[in-house]
Structure formats: structure tokens, C-alpha cells
Amino acid sequence: MLHGPYRSLGLFPIRYTVLVLCFAAVVLGLVAAVAWGHWWWLIPLIALALSIVGLMDLRQTRHSILRNYPVIGHMRFLLEFIRPEMRQYFIEGEHEALPFSRAQRSLVYQRSKGESDSRPFGTLLDVAANGYEWINHSMTPTQVASQDFRVWIGGQPGQPLAGKGVCTQPYHASVFNISAMSFGSMSANAILALNLGARTGGFAHDTGEGSISQHHRVHGGDLIWQIASGYFGCRNPDGTFSEERFVANAADPQVKMIELKISQGAKPGHGGMLLGAKVTAEIAAARGVPMGVDCISPSSHSAFHTPVEMLEFLAKLRRLSGGKPTGMKLCVGHPWEWFAMVKAMMETDITPDFIVVDGAEGGTGAAPVEFTDHVGVPLQEGLLLVHNTLVGVNLRHRVQIGAAAKVITAFDIARMMALGADWCNAGRGFMMALGCIQALTCHTGHCPTGVTTQDARRQKALVVPDKGTRVANFHRSTMHALKELVQAAGLQHPGQITAHHIVRRTNDSQVHQLANTVLRVEPGALLGPLDEQHNVFKMYWGRASAQTFQIAPPPLQPSAAAAKEQGTIA
């Protein structure tokens, strides 16, 4: 209980001071306004408005802060609202990655605008820090004629790959392309600008699972048509796969490859739903769903249920598309499920023309925080497992591998190729080329730059011709930087970069080539005894089956098997 001079605090606690001052300002402001008139009337009017806000704060029941600190409590919410911007502009260091650092974003902005990306006064990175990496240079650098590095996917003209139902329309892809981002999550103007940039720069634009919209077709840039569990653009009214609708889209000459999405880095193993209110006429037309009705992306496919059925479905898509390169995208999860897919390739003699490995650190769209932070295999480990497994069964030459997740610089591309990739995709890098400022409001529809919103007024901020040029500039400048890295390493093509070229610091006094620190499997090694192989193969390869994604139980130890046969173990 308060006594003496503190008793007044019980009647007017100090936390109510601002509200009391607002009441006082109303009275004093009225006096001043009567005495002097003119703009003095603003004082009592503003004070009255704040007083009403304060009284409402006292009566509301949702926020304890406002009940205890009327009026002034709103400052807390304001500061919390602008905290990301304040941190980004004034507090965040050049190399704090949340998820991309200021230095990374600045590099994209400079390259997309055609500005110089040179840095004075040496590196800002700590070269003595654990994890620091570099590419070794050669005493005899090369001179590469062109920076237009490409890779054949689906074989080469006149040289079809081995296997059943092979590709007959191989695609000569750039080693750096636009990753899957759907119309719906991306604005119409963003799609238009991305495709314009892809056409101008001669690289590919992945549609994402939202299928091919009218905006993808305007500029005619090369498309990779992604098909996911919702079968958007090739679905029957009940959500199952429609051959007729697939053929209609796949036959378009603009579609260069077909990509079956098994899972994505942002939320592997998780479906999705686009609320009916967001399913506009344009989105409904692209996806083949009713306008204004919730659009469901199931967590798994209905067209197949076993690894063999999945490979047969891929072969079917390749046949229906007229022999275009057909592959899949996945974020690696249970290793035995991936092993089951490889065993299905061996059993059916059907191989995908390509596999895009998405890392758990990837993702342009919104996802539950648990999935964003703790589900899926990161890109390095996933890429290594996919590459080495195919090497181990002598199928690597039949499958090209793409890598996607936080690829921004030419060194990122070089590093992924050293780990086994044939090309790389980028999503957020090209978003930044469009003008994305990493406001982290992609899921709200309030994107400040018009990149990830369906608000027509906000989209107008994104001027398609200008941003399309920036997308092409970013690609061209990155390819130029990659060319210089390749030359410095004494090579002719980034595909020649191996794990022997990249070095990583592991502690204060030791560095190692990636070749000595990452998983490596010799050609054909998984076709024989596994005694010398990594534990992941010893534990799961023999328990995976082409007939099921489920893992077989571990074999009983000889002593346990004998005891069970004798009836001593229930």
C-alpha cells in the first residue's frame, strides 16, 4: 500500500502520465485557441484525438501494454513494426546473412544495374575464420572465348542417351537459370520481367508449380514447366493428372523441359493452399482451377505411389511432351527413399534427364517456421548424396544435376559444380535483380517493390522493360565473373571444376580441399560390397527397394536370428 507522497501514484500512476498530459493539452489548447485562434485550434483537436485513443486503450482487452500504458504504448508497436528496416539500414553488418547479407544484395543490385561491382582495399571477409573457402588459381591461366557456358540436358542432338523412352529434343541450357517461382506468389509484372530477361539473356525460366500463365508467354523466353502434386495446368476437375491438358501445354515450343516437383527446399513434405479470395481469374486460368475457390496443393502425388511408378510416370511425361527433357526436383529427405528411386532407375532402365536438388536453405515463398528451419537436407549434403549415388551405380552420365539454394555469386556456382552440379538455379537472386529489398513481406501481399503481390497498384511500381533488362544484366555479369574464375583456375568450362579446386579452412591452422572433406564414391562402387562406403550406404542401400518408398527392417544379426529360430526370443 502506498503512503504519504506516493499515495498519488495509486490514483495517477506514472504510466498514465502521457494520457493525463493529453487531457491537459485539450484544456490548455482550447484556451490558446480561443485567445489566439487560427492554427492554435490544431492543438486541442490533436490532443482530443489522442485522449480518445488513450481511453479506448484503457477499455480494450487485447493488449496488456496498451491497458497499462495508454497512448504511449503504441510507440512499442510502431518501433516493433519498423525494427526490420532499422536493423537492415543502420545496424546490420555487411556480411550478416538474414537470409542474404547486405554485401550479397548490393552485389546483385550493382550487377543488375550494370554498375561496377569491384571492391577497393581488399576483402572484408575473415580469411582465418573456420569455413572460409576459396578456389585455387593456376600458374597458367586460360583465355576462354565466351562466357555463354552451357550444358546439354537429355543427351545431344543425334546422340541419344541409353535407356527406355529417351529424350529426342535435348536442351542446351545455360549453367545459370531462374529457379521455380509461381505466378500467384510472384506478381504478373515480375513474371513478365523475369521472362523478358530470360529471353534477352538466353537462359531458362522455371514456371514454378503454378503452371504457365499468360504472362509467361508474352516475351517468349525459354520455359521449364514445373508440375507438382496439384497438377496445375494439366489436371482434371478432381485434381488428378490430365493427359490431354498436359499435351496441350507441353507441345508449346516455348516449353523446353518438363520438371516434376517431388519436394521443395522451403517446405519439403508439406502441401499448400492458396485461399479462394486470392484465386483471381488469371491464376485460375493458369492453374486450371475454379476462380474464388481454395486451391489445394497436396503433400504427395496421386499419379504414382512407388519408385517404379514414379519413373514410369516420368517416362510417360517425356513421351507425351514429344521427347522433351523430363526430370524432377527434390529436396533430399530420407536417404532410403532416394536410394529406392535409384534402384527403380536400375530396374526399369528409365532415368530422368535431369534432377534439380533443392537445399533446405532455399525457398522464395512463405512456409511454417519449423519447416523453414528444421526440415530437409541442406544443399551441400543433398547434392553430394544424389551425385555420388548416381556415380556409384554408373548412371551419372545419363542424368544432369541442377542445384538450387542461395546461389548468388559466380563462386557459389563454381562451388556447386565442384560438388557435382552441372548447372545452378537462383530464385531470390533474380528477385533482387527485379528490385526486391528483402523486406520479408512476401506472404502478406504488401511487397513494397511489387515483386510478390497481386495488388494491381503495387505491381505498377515494377516497370517491366527496366526490370527485364536488370534480370539480363545480372545473369550476364555473373556469367562474366564465372568466366574469370574459370580462366584463373586454368580451365575452359565451369563443368571442369572439381572438389580438388575448392579449399576450406577447418580451424586456425588447417585447410583442406573439399575433395578430402566431403562424401566421395567411386564409379560402380555401390554395385559391389559396401564395406568401404560411407555409413549412409551401409545402413540404408541394402534396405531400399524399387517397389516401395518404405524402408525394409534391418537384417537380424546371426546370433539373434539363431536365438529366434530356437524360440528363445519372442
Side-chain angles (χ1 to χ4, degrees):
M1 185 174 179
L2 298 172
H3 299 281
Y6 298 101
R7 185 184 299 273
S8 61
L9 292 178
L11 298 176
F12 298 102
I14 194 169
R15 61 180 182 269
Y16 293 156
T17 299
V18 173
L19 178 59
V20 172
L21 290 175
C22 288
F23 292 151
V26 172
V27 176
L28 295 176
L30 285 172
V31 173
V34 171
W36 296 302
H38 301 295
W39 60 268
W40 285 95
W41 282 103
L42 290 175
I43 296 177
L45 290 176
I46 294 172
L48 178 61
L50 292 175
S51 299
I52 293 172
V53 169
L55 292 174
M56 293 174 65
D57 290 341
L58 290 173
R59 293 180 60 83
Q60 60 84 37
T61 58
R62 185 176 180 183
H63 299 292
S64 300
I65 289 288
L66 297 182
R67 285 173 66 86
N68 272 333
Y69 298 90
V71 184
I72 194 65
H74 288 277
M75 287 295 296
R76 186 258 184 190
F77 298 104
L78 173 62
L79 293 173
E80 186 179 58
F81 180 75
I82 65 173
R83 178 183 179 276
E85 288 78 10
M86 297 296 288
R87 175 178 173 79
Q88 182 180 122
Y89 297 137
F90 301 110
I91 301 173
E92 178 183 287
E94 285 295 302
H95 294 281
E96 292 182 61
L98 294 170
F100 290 94
S101 69
R102 165 65 63 181
Q104 289 174 308
R105 299 196 303 273
S106 295
L107 180 66
V108 176
Y109 299 149
Q110 289 166 337
R111 286 181 171 172
S112 64
K113 295 175 184 177
E115 298 175 355
S116 172
D117 59 3
S118 299
R119 293 285 189 275
F121 228 66
T123 182
L124 297 177
L125 299 177
D126 182 359
V127 299
N130 290 353
Y132 173 74
E133 293 179 335
W134 67 91
I135 182 169
N136 278 336
H137 67 281
S138 171
M139 294 289 289
T140 55
T142 56
Q143 290 295 319
V144 179
S146 171
Q147 66 189 39
D148 187 23
F149 299 118
R150 293 188 172 271
V151 57
W152 281 104
I153 302 176
Q156 295 188 30
Q159 301 178 32
L161 296 171
K164 293 182 179 179
V166 297
C167 170
T168 58
Q169 298 187 53
Y171 178 56
H172 208 202
S174 170
V175 299
F176 189 42
N177 302 289
I178 301 172
S179 196
M181 295 183 286
S182 300
F183 170 58
S185 61
M186 302 288 285
S187 71
N189 281 11
I191 295 296
L192 286 165
L194 287 171
N195 199 255
L196 174 59
R199 190 204 67 191
T200 303
F203 51 99
H205 177 193
D206 195 311
T207 65
E209 69 174 284
S211 193
I212 308 170
S213 71
Q214 64 187 37
H215 309 295
H216 287 94
R217 303 181 190 275
V218 171
H219 298 296
D222 290 354
L223 293 178
I224 301 171
W225 181 21
Q226 185 184 92
I227 299 168
S229 56
Y231 305 112
F232 300 130
C234 56
R235 60 185 269 141
N236 294 309
D238 62 356
T240 57
F241 176 73
S242 167
E243 290 189 20
E244 181 182 357
R245 295 182 180 180
F246 173 81
V247 171
N249 270 328
D252 189 334
Q254 191 180 351
V255 175
K256 302 301 182 181
M257 300 202 299
I258 309 296
E259 179 181 87
L260 183 68
K261 189 182 87 168
I262 308 300
S263 58
Q264 67 183 86
K267 46 183 177 180
H270 189 283
M273 180 179 71
L274 186 64
L275 293 175
K278 296 183 179 181
V279 181
T280 63
E282 290 179 324
I283 293 174
R287 300 193 179 198
V289 298
M291 186 176 70
V293 177
D294 292 347
C295 182
I296 307 296
S297 295
S299 57
S300 61
H301 282 264
S302 61
F304 56 86
H305 300 92
T306 69
V308 167
E309 290 177 355
M310 186 192 76
L311 268 297
E312 291 172 343
F313 184 64
L314 276 175
K316 180 179 181 179
L317 295 181
R318 188 158 48 206
R319 174 176 56 81
L320 293 174
S321 70
K324 293 182 179 181
T326 303
M328 60 183 174
K329 171 184 174 178
L330 80 161
C331 177
V332 175
H334 295 312
W336 58 84
E337 294 182 345
W338 161 242
F339 294 162
M341 296 180 196
V342 177
K343 287 191 172 182
M345 296 178 202
M346 298 166 62
E347 182 173 309
T348 62
D349 201 27
I350 299 170
T351 51
D353 295 305
F354 65 91
I355 297 174
V356 175
V357 182
D358 200 7
E361 65 270 41
T364 55
V369 66
E370 291 83 2
F371 280 77
T372 298
D373 292 343
H374 300 293
V375 180
V377 176
L379 179 56
Q380 173 174 298
E381 287 69 28
L383 175 59
L384 284 168
L385 186 65
V386 169
H387 167 72
N388 280 288
T389 307
L390 293 173
V391 169
V393 296
N394 292 329
L395 288 178
R396 181 62 179 86
H397 64 288
R398 288 170 55 174
V399 183
Q400 300 291 76
I401 298 178
K406 298 192 77 170
V407 176
I408 293 290
T409 69
F411 181 77
D412 296 333
I413 298 173
R415 188 181 185 280
M416 290 302 105
M417 290 188 160
L419 294 176
D422 295 296
W423 87 89
C424 291
N425 293 337
R428 289 167 290 183
F430 282 104
M431 284 176 66
M432 286 185 271
L434 288 174
C436 167
I437 61 172
Q438 195 173 277
L440 305 182
T441 58
C442 309
H443 58 298
T444 67
H446 298 149
C447 174
T449 57
V451 176
T452 60
T453 179
Q454 296 305 308
D455 185 322
R457 291 172 297 179
R458 288 178 177 270
Q459 286 187 51
K460 289 181 180 179
L462 199 159
V463 180
V464 172
D466 175 64
K467 303 305 182 185
T469 299
R470 293 191 183 193
V471 168
N473 285 345
F474 172 57
H475 180 273
R476 184 182 63 253
S477 297
T478 304
M479 288 296 93
H480 177 73
L482 182 60
K483 172 185 171 181
E484 294 187 321
L485 282 183
V486 168
Q487 292 177 154
L491 306 173
Q492 294 291 333
H493 190 278
Q496 296 174 306
I497 300 172
T498 70
H500 293 281
H501 292 96
I502 308 295
V503 185
R504 176 190 295 169
R505 180 176 294 282
T506 55
N507 59 45
D508 291 343
S509 59
Q510 289 187 324
V511 300
H512 297 280
Q513 291 177 327
L514 285 188
N516 297 322
T517 61
V518 300
L519 173 66
R520 294 181 68 200
V521 173
E522 295 300 319
L526 299 182
L527 301 177
L530 303 177
D531 298 343
E532 302 299 321
Q533 301 307 315
H534 189 279
N535 280 338
V536 70
F537 296 108
K538 289 192 285 188
M539 292 177 65
Y540 302 123
W541 178 255
R543 298 165 62 189
S545 168
Q547 305 304 320
T548 178
F549 286 108
Q550 302 301 312
I551 185 172
L556 291 173
Q557 296 299 321
S559 58
K564 184 172 183 179
E565 186 175 337
Q566 296 172 10
T568 58
I569 297 179

